[in-house]
Amino acid sequence: MLKSCRTLSSPFKRDARRWISFSQLTIEQQMETSAFDSRPPKEDLLFGTTFSDHMLMVEWDQKRNWSAPRIVPYQDLKICPASSCLHYGLQCFEGMKAYKALSDGTLRLFRPDMNMKRLKSSMERLHMPGSDLNSDELLKCIGELVRLDEKWIPEGEGYSLYLRPTVIATHKFLGLAPPNSLLLYVITSPVGPYYKTGFKPIRLTADTNYVRAWPGGTGNAKVGGNYAPTMKPQAEASSQGYSQVLWLFGPHDEITEVGAMNVFFFLVNKETGRRELVTAPLDRGDILPGVTRDSILYLARHWGEDFDVSERWLTMGELQEAAADNRLIEAFGAGTAAVVNPISCIQYKGEDIDIPATGDLTKRIWNDITSIQYGTMAGHEGWSVKI
């Protein structure tokens, strides 16, 4: 059973239709409770397999530009089989979470402005129209979606509601061309702690002939085409006993990312003799500008600790040498799902490089970011956004 719950009307309908407008949002509420009643216990939640009652949908076309946003019951999409998203990968997405604060029970998003900035950048990279959307208005609509499905957010630290904003081209055309129609939608999924029984360091292999991204490509955009080609090398790594692939690029084997995460190394720099936290820079266009990555860099630079924070290219040769000289302190991947994922081993040219795990810096980063997300520690302005 469905019913219309709310229409937020505005006298400025003409302007509102040019942009995504929260004032035009309508809500069609799901009254059937079977999905919620049959959800698994929170301890048994598997990432991305359980979905909440509602979704947000906003359409774009050349005549109307952005249509009025709608929150509707979670449902399958109906699109033309000629839609260009199905043939040419004209699709981009975001990954973010809504948290229930442990301090006061308020609902919060973590740095959502960064996700909106990256979504718009991904749309621009795919030459999608409508990339000048109003981020604040879209976030208000997403906030309303979260409030509507608040009961789906499990109680307790480590639990959250994963949000997946997605934009697909619905252009009914088999030719290769910029799309004349889009669908922006947001689905949500309750998720549990990434680490249920403490940190689980991962083992990586850098011995692969595949490349994740390259200068001038789409590595700095969150598009589906970046992920599908990694399935085969990931499966090969797993068959050899390694958790993920450490992606390299260039004749000097520069370290770029790990799996679908940014990657950090904490070591003693041979030239300066100082401790240094290192991650790949963004200036070449092949590194995803991760929200967690940016947060780690900000925190590390503002702690006032006696180590350097660098965005530079680290080669496997330099890493090998640091490990041999006992200058490699720790390493970790960073992303929305895990926050940080400690690394205990890297296979390179047939040999394993062992890395101490889990290090104190990894633990501190985990503690600070999760504390901000769950409202038990004050963060920088705009980081923990109440909705």
Side-chain angles (χ1 to χ4, degrees):
M1 178 181 178
L2 308 175
K3 71 174 184 180
S4 178
C5 178
R6 187 186 311 170
T7 301
L8 302 175
S9 60
S10 167
F12 305 105
K13 290 185 178 181
R14 184 176 180 180
D15 290 339
R17 289 303 178 93
R18 174 63 180 85
W19 311 101
I20 292 178
S21 174
F22 175 69
S23 67
Q24 294 291 316
L25 177 68
T26 61
I27 300 174
E28 188 179 4
Q29 190 167 354
Q30 172 65 269
M31 304 305 294
E32 174 62 51
T33 64
S34 58
F36 181 76
D37 295 339
S38 62
R39 73 195 187 285
K42 67 178 186 178
E43 296 80 9
D44 297 335
L45 286 170
L46 297 176
F47 179 82
T49 59
T50 302
F51 300 99
S52 62
D53 282 333
H54 299 90
M55 61 190 294
L56 172 68
M57 302 178 71
V58 197
E59 296 170 319
W60 186 97
D61 62 41
Q62 288 179 324
K63 182 178 294 186
R64 298 179 302 167
N65 291 300
W66 288 109
S67 64
R70 299 177 292 132
I71 292 178
V72 298
Y74 179 84
Q75 58 193 263
D76 292 340
L77 301 179
K78 183 179 180 181
I79 62 174
C80 173
S83 295
S84 52
C85 65
L86 302 176
H87 299 272
Y88 303 114
L90 285 169
Q91 176 265 9
C92 58
F93 66 97
E94 273 302 315
M96 51 199 296
K97 290 181 178 180
Y99 306 85
K100 188 170 292 185
L102 301 179
S103 54
D104 56 11
T106 56
L107 303 179
R108 305 184 182 205
L109 300 175
F110 181 70
R111 306 192 69 184
D113 58 314
M114 295 285 289
N115 294 101
M116 295 299 99
K117 178 182 178 181
R118 191 170 61 186
L119 180 65
K120 294 168 67 172
S121 177
S122 297
M123 292 177 67
E124 290 173 3
R125 180 62 183 84
L126 297 180
H127 201 55
M128 285 181 167
S131 61
D132 59 348
L133 59 85
N134 188 313
S135 297
D136 292 338
E137 293 294 295
L138 177 55
L139 282 174
K140 289 179 183 177
C141 296
I142 292 174
E144 192 67 23
L145 175 66
V146 173
R147 281 191 290 269
L148 186 59
D149 282 344
E150 176 181 358
K151 67 181 182 180
W152 283 85
I153 307 178
E155 299 282 348
E157 185 174 5
Y159 294 94
S160 60
L161 191 67
Y162 182 81
L163 314 178
R164 176 55 68 88
T166 305
V167 183
I168 61 173
T170 54
H171 190 181
K172 302 174 183 179
F173 181 51
L174 289 180
L176 184 59
N180 65 10
S181 60
L182 305 171
L183 173 63
L184 186 160
Y185 65 91
V186 184
I187 56 176
T188 72
S189 173
V191 294
Y194 193 86
Y195 305 107
K196 294 185 178 181
T197 57
F199 285 109
K200 293 182 179 179
I202 54 175
R203 303 175 73 248
L204 311 178
T205 179
D207 288 353
T208 179
N209 293 322
Y210 300 97
V211 177
R212 189 199 80 88
W214 49 90
T218 58
N220 60 349
K222 204 165 180 66
V223 300
N226 287 344
Y227 297 85
T230 69
M231 300 300 176
K232 183 176 181 179
Q234 170 62 41
E236 292 175 355
S238 180
S239 69
Q240 298 169 19
Y242 296 94
S243 306
Q244 295 184 29
V245 175
L246 182 66
W247 300 107
L248 310 178
F249 182 80
H252 303 295
D253 286 343
E254 294 164 337
I255 300 170
T256 61
E257 296 191 0
V258 53
M261 297 183 289
N262 297 120
V263 64
F264 287 78
F265 294 89
F266 193 41
L267 48 77
V268 176
N269 187 296
K270 182 179 179 180
E271 302 300 324
T272 66
R274 289 176 53 81
R275 293 181 303 162
E276 180 185 24
L277 179 64
V278 184
T279 194
L282 303 178
D283 55 2
R284 202 167 64 184
D286 56 339
I287 303 298
L288 187 71
V291 178
T292 307
R293 173 192 181 277
D294 187 81
S295 303
I296 292 170
L297 290 172
Y298 181 91
L299 289 172
R301 286 169 174 156
H302 287 79
W303 280 334
E305 298 289 348
D306 187 26
F307 64 80
D308 299 321
V309 181
S310 303
E311 296 174 75
R312 66 176 181 87
W313 295 111
L314 182 68
T315 67
M316 282 303 302
E318 182 181 351
L319 191 70
Q320 263 188 325
E321 185 178 0
D325 295 344
N326 293 317
R327 292 185 288 106
L328 181 54
I329 303 170
E330 57 185 285
F332 54 89
T336 298
V339 182
V340 289
N341 201 333
I343 298 167
S344 62
C345 172
I346 299 173
Q347 182 196 45
Y348 181 62
K349 294 184 176 180
E351 296 185 359
D352 285 349
I353 302 172
D354 293 323
I355 306 173
T358 300
D360 291 338
L361 181 60
T362 304
K363 294 175 183 176
R364 181 176 181 182
I365 290 169
W366 161 268
N367 181 72
D368 279 17
I369 291 181
T370 57
S371 295
I372 294 169
Q373 290 171 338
Y374 287 94
T376 58
M377 186 174 86
H380 185 65
E381 184 179 357
W383 279 30
S384 183
V385 179
K386 296 181 180 180
I387 57 177

